[in-house]
Amino acid sequence: MPDYMMPFTRMINLPDGTIPEAPVTQLRRLSDLEGLFADREAERALLAENPMIYEVYEATQNPETIGHLRYSTTVIHPGKVGDEYFMTKGHYHALRDRTELYYGLAGEGYLLLQTPEGETNVQRMTPGIAAYVPPFWGHRTVNVGSENFVFLAVYPADAGYDYDTIARQGFAAIIVERNGKPQVVPNPRFGKRT
Ligand code: S6P
Ligand code: ZN
C-alpha cells in the first residue's frame, strides 16, 4: 500500500497573491539581486535604500521527489533600477527538463525565457494568462506595470533551482522602459559578468 499523503488546500488571497498558511515565505531585496541589473551605477545608488523587489509564498513543502507538485505565488513590486524594471533573479531548473506553469493573478508583467544557447523568448502576462515554461528554458519574470505583478507558479517538486548560471552569465535580453513603454533590448552585460 502506498504511503498516502493527506489531500489539502491552501487559500491564495486575490488579488494580492498572499498565502496566509504558506509554510515558507521568501523576501528578496535589491541586495539579494546584487549584480543582476545591467546599470551597475543605478544599482549601487539604490542599494542604500535596498527596496523590496519581490516576495515568494510557497504554498507547500511537498517532498522534492518525482510525482509531486509544488506551487507558490510571486509578488513583484513595481519599480526600476535605472531604466530596467524590477524582476526576479531567474533560474534554470536543476533538472533541466522540468517544466512549469505560470498563471497571472494581478498586474502586468513579462515572462523572459532563454535557452542555454542564448535564444530569447518573451511572453506578456496579465491576469488570466497561463504561460508555459517548456523543458530546458531558463525563466525570469519582470514587473512592467505600476502595481504589484502577481502570479501563481506550479512546478514538479523535484525541479530544483540553478541560480548560478544566471548569476554568471545573466540573460541575453533585458526589459527596460523606453518612452514610457517596456522594450526588450540586448543585455550589454550578457556573458560578461564578474
Ligand atoms: C519556481 C518558480 C517560481 C520562482 C519565483 C521567484 O520554479 O519558477 O516560484 O521561484 O517566481 O523567482 P526566482 O528566480 O527567484 O526563483
Ligand atoms: Zn522555475
Side-chain angles (χ1 to χ4, degrees), residues 30 33-51 53 80-86 189:
L30 182 58
L33 282 82
E34 201 172 343
L36 293 181
F37 289 94
D39 184 342
R40 302 298 281 271
E41 291 277 293
E43 186 185 273
R44 216 167 294 130
L46 199 59
L47 269 172
E49 215 177 287
N50 202 14
I53 308 285
K80 293 190 297 280
V81 177
D83 57 7
E84 189 175 4
Y85 295 98
F86 282 5
R189 301 189 58 83

mmCIF file of all heavy atoms in Angstrom, residues 30 33-51 53 80-86 189:
data_model
loop_
_atom_site.group_PDB
_atom_site.id
_atom_site.type_symbol
_atom_site.label_atom_id
_atom_site.label_comp_id
_atom_site.label_asym_id
_atom_site.label_seq_id
_atom_site.Cartn_x
_atom_site.Cartn_y
_atom_site.Cartn_z
ATOM 1 N N LEU A 30 16.823 44.262 -2.973
ATOM 2 C CA LEU A 30 17.808 44.524 -4.027
ATOM 3 C C LEU A 30 19.155 43.876 -3.706
ATOM 4 O O LEU A 30 19.828 43.354 -4.598
ATOM 5 C CB LEU A 30 17.975 46.038 -4.225
ATOM 6 C CG LEU A 30 18.943 46.463 -5.323
ATOM 7 C CD1 LEU A 30 18.536 45.896 -6.681
ATOM 8 C CD2 LEU A 30 19.050 47.977 -5.396
ATOM 9 N N LEU A 33 19.770 40.612 -5.106
ATOM 10 C CA LEU A 33 19.899 40.527 -6.570
ATOM 11 C C LEU A 33 21.123 41.301 -7.056
ATOM 12 O O LEU A 33 21.256 41.591 -8.250
ATOM 13 C CB LEU A 33 18.656 41.111 -7.266
ATOM 14 C CG LEU A 33 17.404 40.234 -7.307
ATOM 15 C CD1 LEU A 33 16.625 40.319 -6.014
ATOM 16 C CD2 LEU A 33 16.513 40.595 -8.466
ATOM 17 N N GLU A 34 22.012 41.630 -6.132
ATOM 18 C CA GLU A 34 23.151 42.482 -6.472
ATOM 19 C C GLU A 34 23.928 41.923 -7.660
ATOM 20 O O GLU A 34 24.247 40.736 -7.699
ATOM 21 C CB GLU A 34 24.083 42.594 -5.252
ATOM 22 C CG GLU A 34 24.952 43.794 -5.334
ATOM 23 C CD GLU A 34 25.744 44.026 -4.049
ATOM 24 O OE1 GLU A 34 25.381 43.449 -3.002
ATOM 25 O OE2 GLU A 34 26.737 44.774 -4.123
ATOM 26 N N GLY A 35 24.200 42.779 -8.641
ATOM 27 C CA GLY A 35 24.958 42.347 -9.816
ATOM 28 C C GLY A 35 24.089 41.864 -10.952
ATOM 29 O O GLY A 35 24.602 41.561 -12.034
ATOM 30 N N LEU A 36 22.768 41.776 -10.748
ATOM 31 C CA LEU A 36 21.911 41.235 -11.810
ATOM 32 C C LEU A 36 21.362 42.317 -12.734
ATOM 33 O O LEU A 36 20.971 42.036 -13.858
ATOM 34 C CB LEU A 36 20.750 40.428 -11.217
ATOM 35 C CG LEU A 36 21.141 39.132 -10.497
ATOM 36 C CD1 LEU A 36 19.899 38.416 -9.992
ATOM 37 C CD2 LEU A 36 21.929 38.203 -11.408
ATOM 38 N N PHE A 37 21.296 43.554 -12.271
ATOM 39 C CA PHE A 37 20.782 44.627 -13.123
ATOM 40 C C PHE A 37 21.910 45.182 -14.002
ATOM 41 O O PHE A 37 23.068 45.249 -13.575
ATOM 42 C CB PHE A 37 20.143 45.718 -12.266
ATOM 43 C CG PHE A 37 18.843 45.282 -11.643
ATOM 44 C CD1 PHE A 37 18.818 44.757 -10.359
ATOM 45 C CD2 PHE A 37 17.648 45.364 -12.359
ATOM 46 C CE1 PHE A 37 17.620 44.328 -9.790
ATOM 47 C CE2 PHE A 37 16.453 44.941 -11.794
ATOM 48 C CZ PHE A 37 16.439 44.420 -10.502
ATOM 49 N N ALA A 38 21.539 45.582 -15.212
ATOM 50 C CA ALA A 38 22.554 45.977 -16.187
ATOM 51 C C ALA A 38 23.259 47.275 -15.791
ATOM 52 O O ALA A 38 24.456 47.428 -16.016
ATOM 53 C CB ALA A 38 21.916 46.119 -17.584
ATOM 54 N N ASP A 39 22.512 48.215 -15.198
ATOM 55 C CA ASP A 39 23.081 49.514 -14.844
ATOM 56 C C ASP A 39 23.651 49.441 -13.426
ATOM 57 O O ASP A 39 22.941 49.652 -12.437
ATOM 58 C CB ASP A 39 21.978 50.587 -14.957
ATOM 59 C CG ASP A 39 22.494 51.994 -14.699
ATOM 60 O OD1 ASP A 39 23.584 52.140 -14.120
ATOM 61 O OD2 ASP A 39 21.796 52.946 -15.084
ATOM 62 N N ARG A 40 24.946 49.120 -13.335
ATOM 63 C CA ARG A 40 25.567 48.894 -12.021
ATOM 64 C C ARG A 40 25.596 50.139 -11.154
ATOM 65 O O ARG A 40 25.498 50.075 -9.942
ATOM 66 C CB ARG A 40 26.986 48.335 -12.195
ATOM 67 C CG ARG A 40 27.006 47.031 -12.978
ATOM 68 C CD ARG A 40 26.233 45.930 -12.264
ATOM 69 N NE ARG A 40 27.005 45.341 -11.199
ATOM 70 C CZ ARG A 40 27.823 44.313 -11.349
ATOM 71 N NH1 ARG A 40 27.958 43.740 -12.501
ATOM 72 N NH2 ARG A 40 28.505 43.841 -10.323
ATOM 73 N N GLU A 41 25.749 51.308 -11.803
ATOM 74 C CA GLU A 41 25.756 52.582 -11.067
ATOM 75 C C GLU A 41 24.417 52.790 -10.370
ATOM 76 O O GLU A 41 24.361 53.105 -9.185
ATOM 77 C CB GLU A 41 25.983 53.742 -12.053
ATOM 78 C CG GLU A 41 27.347 53.766 -12.639
ATOM 79 C CD GLU A 41 28.318 54.462 -11.699
ATOM 80 O OE1 GLU A 41 28.153 55.663 -11.507
ATOM 81 O OE2 GLU A 41 29.203 53.776 -11.163
ATOM 82 N N ALA A 42 23.342 52.625 -11.158
ATOM 83 C CA ALA A 42 21.986 52.817 -10.619
ATOM 84 C C ALA A 42 21.717 51.797 -9.527
ATOM 85 O O ALA A 42 21.103 52.104 -8.503
ATOM 86 C CB ALA A 42 20.956 52.689 -11.741
ATOM 87 N N GLU A 43 22.206 50.581 -9.724
ATOM 88 C CA GLU A 43 22.015 49.521 -8.723
ATOM 89 C C GLU A 43 22.714 49.916 -7.420
ATOM 90 O O GLU A 43 22.135 49.824 -6.340
ATOM 91 C CB GLU A 43 22.566 48.198 -9.261
ATOM 92 C CG GLU A 43 22.282 47.017 -8.350
ATOM 93 C CD GLU A 43 22.941 45.751 -8.860
ATOM 94 O OE1 GLU A 43 22.336 45.062 -9.682
ATOM 95 O OE2 GLU A 43 24.069 45.469 -8.425
ATOM 96 N N ARG A 44 23.952 50.379 -7.545
ATOM 97 C CA ARG A 44 24.724 50.764 -6.364
ATOM 98 C C ARG A 44 24.035 51.908 -5.613
ATOM 99 O O ARG A 44 23.921 51.888 -4.398
ATOM 100 C CB ARG A 44 26.143 51.176 -6.788
ATOM 101 C CG ARG A 44 27.196 50.746 -5.773
ATOM 102 C CD ARG A 44 28.593 50.862 -6.345
ATOM 103 N NE ARG A 44 28.838 49.944 -7.439
ATOM 104 C CZ ARG A 44 29.357 50.280 -8.614
ATOM 105 N NH1 ARG A 44 29.691 51.517 -8.875
ATOM 106 N NH2 ARG A 44 29.563 49.372 -9.546
ATOM 107 N N ALA A 45 23.534 52.881 -6.370
ATOM 108 C CA ALA A 45 22.878 54.042 -5.741
ATOM 109 C C ALA A 45 21.624 53.604 -4.979
ATOM 110 O O ALA A 45 21.374 54.065 -3.863
ATOM 111 C CB ALA A 45 22.528 55.073 -6.805
ATOM 112 N N LEU A 46 20.885 52.686 -5.571
ATOM 113 C CA LEU A 46 19.620 52.260 -4.954
ATOM 114 C C LEU A 46 19.833 51.301 -3.779
ATOM 115 O O LEU A 46 18.937 51.097 -2.953
ATOM 116 C CB LEU A 46 18.727 51.613 -6.025
ATOM 117 C CG LEU A 46 17.235 51.499 -5.742
ATOM 118 C CD1 LEU A 46 16.607 52.870 -5.494
ATOM 119 C CD2 LEU A 46 16.517 50.820 -6.918
ATOM 120 N N LEU A 47 21.038 50.725 -3.703
ATOM 121 C CA LEU A 47 21.317 49.768 -2.610
ATOM 122 C C LEU A 47 21.233 50.437 -1.231
ATOM 123 O O LEU A 47 20.920 49.772 -0.246
ATOM 124 C CB LEU A 47 22.695 49.129 -2.801
ATOM 125 C CG LEU A 47 22.692 47.831 -3.602
ATOM 126 C CD1 LEU A 47 24.120 47.394 -3.893
ATOM 127 C CD2 LEU A 47 21.932 46.726 -2.879
ATOM 128 N N ALA A 48 21.468 51.745 -1.175
ATOM 129 C CA ALA A 48 21.368 52.458 0.105
ATOM 130 C C ALA A 48 19.955 52.312 0.669
ATOM 131 O O ALA A 48 19.757 52.141 1.865
ATOM 132 C CB ALA A 48 21.710 53.921 -0.111
ATOM 133 N N GLU A 49 18.993 52.345 -0.232
ATOM 134 C CA GLU A 49 17.568 52.208 0.135
ATOM 135 C C GLU A 49 17.184 50.734 0.271
ATOM 136 O O GLU A 49 16.293 50.385 1.018
ATOM 137 C CB GLU A 49 16.773 52.815 -1.016
ATOM 138 C CG GLU A 49 15.512 53.538 -0.687
ATOM 139 C CD GLU A 49 14.944 54.112 -1.985
ATOM 140 O OE1 GLU A 49 15.533 55.097 -2.496
ATOM 141 O OE2 GLU A 49 13.972 53.545 -2.502
ATOM 142 N N ASN A 50 17.848 49.899 -0.496
ATOM 143 C CA ASN A 50 17.617 48.451 -0.537
ATOM 144 C C ASN A 50 16.137 48.072 -0.591
ATOM 145 O O ASN A 50 15.626 47.389 0.314
ATOM 146 C CB ASN A 50 18.301 47.780 0.655
ATOM 147 C CG ASN A 50 18.559 46.304 0.406
ATOM 148 O OD1 ASN A 50 18.474 45.836 -0.742
ATOM 149 N ND2 ASN A 50 18.837 45.557 1.461
ATOM 150 N N PRO A 51 15.416 48.492 -1.632
ATOM 151 C CA PRO A 51 13.976 48.229 -1.684
ATOM 152 C C PRO A 51 13.653 46.742 -1.796
ATOM 153 O O PRO A 51 14.466 45.959 -2.303
ATOM 154 C CB PRO A 51 13.536 48.971 -2.956
ATOM 155 C CG PRO A 51 14.755 49.031 -3.801
ATOM 156 C CD PRO A 51 15.916 49.156 -2.857
ATOM 157 N N ILE A 53 12.136 43.853 -3.646
ATOM 158 C CA ILE A 53 11.863 43.643 -5.072
ATOM 159 C C ILE A 53 10.706 42.653 -5.250
ATOM 160 O O ILE A 53 9.787 42.901 -6.007
ATOM 161 C CB ILE A 53 13.111 43.130 -5.839
ATOM 162 C CG1 ILE A 53 14.333 44.026 -5.574
ATOM 163 C CG2 ILE A 53 12.828 43.025 -7.334
ATOM 164 C CD1 ILE A 53 14.346 45.350 -6.278
ATOM 165 N N LYS A 80 12.040 50.372 -10.818
ATOM 166 C CA LYS A 80 13.109 50.181 -11.805
ATOM 167 C C LYS A 80 14.464 50.430 -11.158
ATOM 168 O O LYS A 80 14.572 51.197 -10.203
ATOM 169 C CB LYS A 80 12.945 51.168 -12.978
ATOM 170 C CG LYS A 80 11.727 50.938 -13.835
ATOM 171 C CD LYS A 80 11.746 51.771 -15.097
ATOM 172 C CE LYS A 80 11.713 53.235 -14.850
ATOM 173 N NZ LYS A 80 10.469 53.871 -14.551
ATOM 174 N N VAL A 81 15.466 49.783 -11.707
ATOM 175 C CA VAL A 81 16.860 50.085 -11.364
ATOM 176 C C VAL A 81 17.430 50.715 -12.625
ATOM 177 O O VAL A 81 17.604 50.028 -13.640
ATOM 178 C CB VAL A 81 17.631 48.806 -10.980
ATOM 179 C CG1 VAL A 81 19.092 49.142 -10.705
ATOM 180 C CG2 VAL A 81 16.992 48.124 -9.768
ATOM 181 N N GLY A 82 17.661 52.039 -12.582
ATOM 182 C CA GLY A 82 17.946 52.760 -13.829
ATOM 183 C C GLY A 82 16.675 52.702 -14.657
ATOM 184 O O GLY A 82 15.604 53.086 -14.189
ATOM 185 N N ASP A 83 16.774 52.151 -15.880
ATOM 186 C CA ASP A 83 15.548 52.019 -16.683
ATOM 187 C C ASP A 83 15.087 50.559 -16.800
ATOM 188 O O ASP A 83 14.219 50.237 -17.597
ATOM 189 C CB ASP A 83 15.745 52.648 -18.070
ATOM 190 C CG ASP A 83 16.917 52.050 -18.823
ATOM 191 O OD1 ASP A 83 17.507 51.057 -18.335
ATOM 192 O OD2 ASP A 83 17.253 52.568 -19.914
ATOM 193 N N GLU A 84 15.711 49.676 -16.000
ATOM 194 C CA GLU A 84 15.362 48.248 -16.060
ATOM 195 C C GLU A 84 14.359 47.914 -14.956
ATOM 196 O O GLU A 84 14.586 48.210 -13.777
ATOM 197 C CB GLU A 84 16.644 47.416 -15.885
ATOM 198 C CG GLU A 84 16.458 45.940 -16.145
ATOM 199 C CD GLU A 84 17.790 45.174 -16.070
ATOM 200 O OE1 GLU A 84 18.836 45.791 -15.747
ATOM 201 O OE2 GLU A 84 17.761 43.957 -16.333
ATOM 202 N N TYR A 85 13.287 47.294 -15.353
ATOM 203 C CA TYR A 85 12.197 47.017 -14.403
ATOM 204 C C TYR A 85 12.598 45.994 -13.334
ATOM 205 O O TYR A 85 13.418 45.102 -13.597
ATOM 206 C CB TYR A 85 10.982 46.474 -15.149
ATOM 207 C CG TYR A 85 10.339 47.441 -16.117
ATOM 208 C CD1 TYR A 85 10.631 47.385 -17.475
ATOM 209 C CD2 TYR A 85 9.443 48.402 -15.676
ATOM 210 C CE1 TYR A 85 10.037 48.267 -18.372
ATOM 211 C CE2 TYR A 85 8.840 49.289 -16.569
ATOM 212 C CZ TYR A 85 9.143 49.218 -17.902
ATOM 213 O OH TYR A 85 8.564 50.088 -18.797
ATOM 214 N N PHE A 86 11.980 46.119 -12.163
ATOM 215 C CA PHE A 86 12.172 45.127 -11.091
ATOM 216 C C PHE A 86 11.815 43.735 -11.630
ATOM 217 O O PHE A 86 10.849 43.580 -12.369
ATOM 218 C CB PHE A 86 11.289 45.439 -9.879
ATOM 219 C CG PHE A 86 11.780 46.549 -8.988
ATOM 220 C CD1 PHE A 86 12.905 47.295 -9.316
ATOM 221 C CD2 PHE A 86 11.112 46.849 -7.802
ATOM 222 C CE1 PHE A 86 13.363 48.326 -8.488
ATOM 223 C CE2 PHE A 86 11.550 47.874 -6.963
ATOM 224 C CZ PHE A 86 12.670 48.612 -7.292
ATOM 225 N N ARG A 189 25.560 43.376 -20.693
ATOM 226 C CA ARG A 189 26.439 42.637 -19.784
ATOM 227 C C ARG A 189 26.366 41.118 -19.982
ATOM 228 O O ARG A 189 27.007 40.374 -19.243
ATOM 229 C CB ARG A 189 26.076 42.970 -18.329
ATOM 230 C CG ARG A 189 26.196 44.442 -17.994
ATOM 231 C CD ARG A 189 26.042 44.656 -16.506
ATOM 232 N NE ARG A 189 27.026 43.894 -15.759
ATOM 233 C CZ ARG A 189 28.274 44.301 -15.543
ATOM 234 N NH1 ARG A 189 28.678 45.462 -15.992
ATOM 235 N NH2 ARG A 189 29.095 43.551 -14.861
#
